[in-house]
Amino acid sequence: MSAILETESPKRQAVLDAAATLFMAHGYGDVSMDAIAREASVSKATLYAHCGSKVQLFATIINETCRSKMVAADVLVETEIASTSDVGEALRAFGIRVTQFLLEPTTQAIYRVVVAECVRFPELAQSFYDSGPAHFRAFFSGWIGRQMRAGRLREGDPTVAAEQFVALVRGDIHLRISIGLSVPHDAAAIERHVGDAVDTFLRAFGTG
Amino acid sequence: MSAILETESPKRQAVLDAAATLFMAHGYGDVSMDAIAREASVSKATLYAHCGSKVQLFATIINETCRSKMVAADVLVETEIASTSDVGEALRAFGIRVTQFLLEPTTQAIYRVVVAECVRFPELAQSFYDSGPAHFRAFFSGWIGRQMRAGRLREGDPTVAAEQFVALVRGDIHLRISIGLSVPHDAAAIERHVGDAVDTFLRAFGTG
DNA sequence: GTCTATAGAAGGATAGAC
DNA sequence: GTCTATCCTTCTATAGAC
């Protein structure tokens, strides 16, 4: 959870790091300002001098964590999917990336926090969705559309196809992870799972 | 949120109803025992006499809500899916049921609470999953398997197929709803969405 | 900028009267 | 069984010294 937000002051950096760690691990309500101050080895007064209020600090942390996380994922996937001209291979590589992304602890943590706090912080959910899943799918459906026009995928609505592929890859994993249940995360299990998703998708959208 | 748990005492009933309403709406941490007592028009001492502790009350409410909700859904789907011998029609009817189920406020509320509290109450997540999604899919994959053996669906792993169909139906809806974003819920939009899922599924698993 | 000390409010839980 | 009144803890936020 290091260096979510870069800053000049070391105390400020310590505060942001501590807040990120604790908020991501336990959500908003269960983290006290005392705990953040202790974790950051800073007094509460210093904490308040830097962050304003608990709400403000929380919003800052979540927004920045979302942003950095999603941008990183975006770049990864973009290079991954552009690297091959074989549709099946590209989908497989993309699917594995998505699955690994879902399995990362930080991803789970962000999602859990957003779910838990979406009533108290509605604007947070929207910005999470826009900068994450929506941005992601806009890019992916663009790629799908190009494959359709190139004749490598059956013609159809690229947005629907993109949503369906992601849904197949997500499968039950997302549900299980979101409520803290274990998921097989060895390479073989992931490849098998993604293989099933790609098989089904290509049966429906392939041109072979 | 009425009558989650039947009981003889009216005060006890009032406590359970109030707790269910508030816990489902705001989660565990943001609901005080004072608030529950006020909502139930009962003193705090009476509240504690009936429920033991806040944790105990919460566990009771969530488990009972899950159970009653899931059992009801189960029965509905079972009758729905058995009512026709046409695979496509059965899947369509089933998909619409699932979608409507996902859109119900109580469904969303339970899921949000389980996500938010799965760290504090791990056994709650397991019982939610077992009595809900897992039980559900066990039944559905049984049906899929029978269709496969009858030659109405292509042979394959019924569990994978069941998971994939549910994933297609869930699509983006579950994600959006879980973080409090709006979802089109008019009949036409639902039918179109389910129709897309059924089309893709039958292209991959149909025998036509 | 940074600390100690504290104000002021709210929460979980219980004692004791009826 | 039910209520009122209260204890003790914890929380957010700030005042005031350095």
Side-chain angles (χ1 to χ4, degrees):
Chain A
M1 210 71 61
S2 56
I4 296 294
L5 218 167
E6 303 296 331
T7 183
E8 60 295 339
S9 158
K11 293 270 182 188
R12 184 178 169 81
Q13 187 69 56
V15 165
L16 293 173
D17 288 349
T21 302
L22 292 175
F23 279 142
M24 299 300 274
H26 306 108
Y28 179 82
D30 289 342
V31 173
S32 70
M33 293 299 261
D34 285 272
I36 297 175
R38 208 178 316 122
E39 173 84 15
S41 303
V42 151
S43 77
K44 267 209 293 188
T46 303
L47 176 56
Y48 274 93
H50 281 295
C51 74
S53 73
K54 188 182 177 182
V55 169
Q56 198 174 323
L57 178 59
F58 182 73
T60 302
I61 294 297
I62 301 301
N63 279 321
E64 284 307 309
T65 307
C66 279
R67 203 184 49 73
S68 68
K69 183 84 184 162
M70 296 306 172
V71 167
D74 227 40
V75 171
L76 265 177
V77 170
E78 192 153 356
T79 60
E80 193 80 36
I81 207 168
S83 67
T84 171
S85 61
D86 180 64
V87 181
E89 274 314 304
L91 286 173
R92 205 172 306 271
F94 175 68
I96 288 178
R97 273 277 173 236
V98 170
T99 306
Q100 288 171 339
F101 179 73
L102 290 177
L103 291 173
E104 283 174 31
T106 317
T107 309
Q108 309 170 29
I110 293 182
Y111 177 69
R112 266 209 283 268
V113 170
V114 172
V115 171
E117 307 301 339
C118 69
V119 176
R120 201 176 345 212
F121 303 96
E123 79 290 349
L124 197 137
Q126 187 67 57
S127 89
F128 164 83
Y129 187 79
D130 290 343
S131 70
H135 180 70
F136 209 62
R137 197 175 53 244
F139 160 76
F140 182 51
S141 66
W143 181 84
I144 293 264
R146 287 194 293 280
Q147 304 304 309
M148 286 176 170
R149 284 189 293 278
R152 290 194 283 268
L153 287 177
R154 185 176 56 77
E155 286 287 334
D157 186 335
T159 306
V160 171
E163 180 175 333
Q164 290 187 335
F165 180 72
V166 172
L168 287 171
V169 169
R170 191 157 45 205
D172 214 31
I173 291 180
H174 179 246
L175 176 62
R176 285 189 60 89
I177 284 191
S178 68
I179 59 177
L181 299 180
S182 68
V183 163
H185 56 284
D186 55 299
I190 293 178
E191 278 180 28
R192 199 179 326 117
H193 173 74
V194 171
D196 289 339
V198 172
D199 286 350
T200 294
F201 185 80
L202 285 184
R203 267 187 231 273
F205 288 97
T207 53
Chain B
M1 208 71 58
S2 56
I4 296 294
L5 219 167
E6 304 296 331
T7 181
E8 60 296 340
S9 159
K11 293 271 182 187
R12 184 179 169 79
Q13 188 69 57
V15 165
L16 294 173
D17 287 349
T21 303
L22 292 175
F23 280 142
M24 297 301 272
H26 305 108
Y28 179 83
D30 289 342
V31 173
S32 68
M33 293 299 263
D34 285 272
I36 296 175
R38 209 179 315 126
E39 173 84 14
S41 302
V42 151
S43 75
K44 267 209 294 187
T46 304
L47 175 56
Y48 274 93
H50 282 294
C51 75
S53 72
K54 188 182 178 183
V55 168
Q56 200 174 321
L57 178 59
F58 182 73
T60 304
I61 295 296
I62 300 301
N63 279 321
E64 283 308 309
T65 307
C66 279
R67 204 185 48 74
S68 67
K69 183 83 184 165
M70 296 307 173
V71 168
D74 228 40
V75 173
L76 266 177
V77 170
E78 192 154 354
T79 60
E80 192 80 38
I81 207 167
S83 67
T84 171
S85 61
D86 180 65
V87 181
E89 274 315 303
L91 287 173
R92 207 171 303 271
F94 175 67
I96 287 178
R97 274 275 173 239
V98 170
T99 307
Q100 288 171 339
F101 179 73
L102 290 178
L103 291 173
E104 283 174 33
T106 315
T107 308
Q108 309 169 30
I110 293 181
Y111 176 68
R112 267 209 284 268
V113 170
V114 173
V115 171
E117 309 301 339
C118 68
V119 176
R120 200 175 349 211
F121 303 96
E123 78 291 351
L124 196 138
Q126 187 68 55
S127 89
F128 164 82
Y129 187 80
D130 290 343
S131 70
H135 181 69
F136 209 61
R137 197 176 52 244
F139 161 76
F140 182 50
S141 67
W143 181 84
I144 294 263
R146 288 193 294 280
Q147 303 306 308
M148 286 176 171
R149 284 188 293 279
R152 289 194 285 267
L153 288 177
R154 184 176 57 76
E155 286 287 333
D157 185 335
T159 306
V160 171
E163 180 175 332
Q164 289 187 335
F165 181 72
V166 172
L168 287 171
V169 169
R170 193 157 45 204
D172 213 31
I173 292 180
H174 179 246
L175 175 63
R176 284 188 61 88
I177 285 192
S178 68
I179 60 176
L181 298 180
S182 69
V183 162
H185 56 283
D186 54 298
I190 293 178
E191 279 180 29
R192 198 179 325 117
H193 173 75
V194 171
D196 289 340
V198 172
D199 287 350
T200 294
F201 185 81
L202 285 184
R203 266 186 232 273
F205 289 97
T207 52

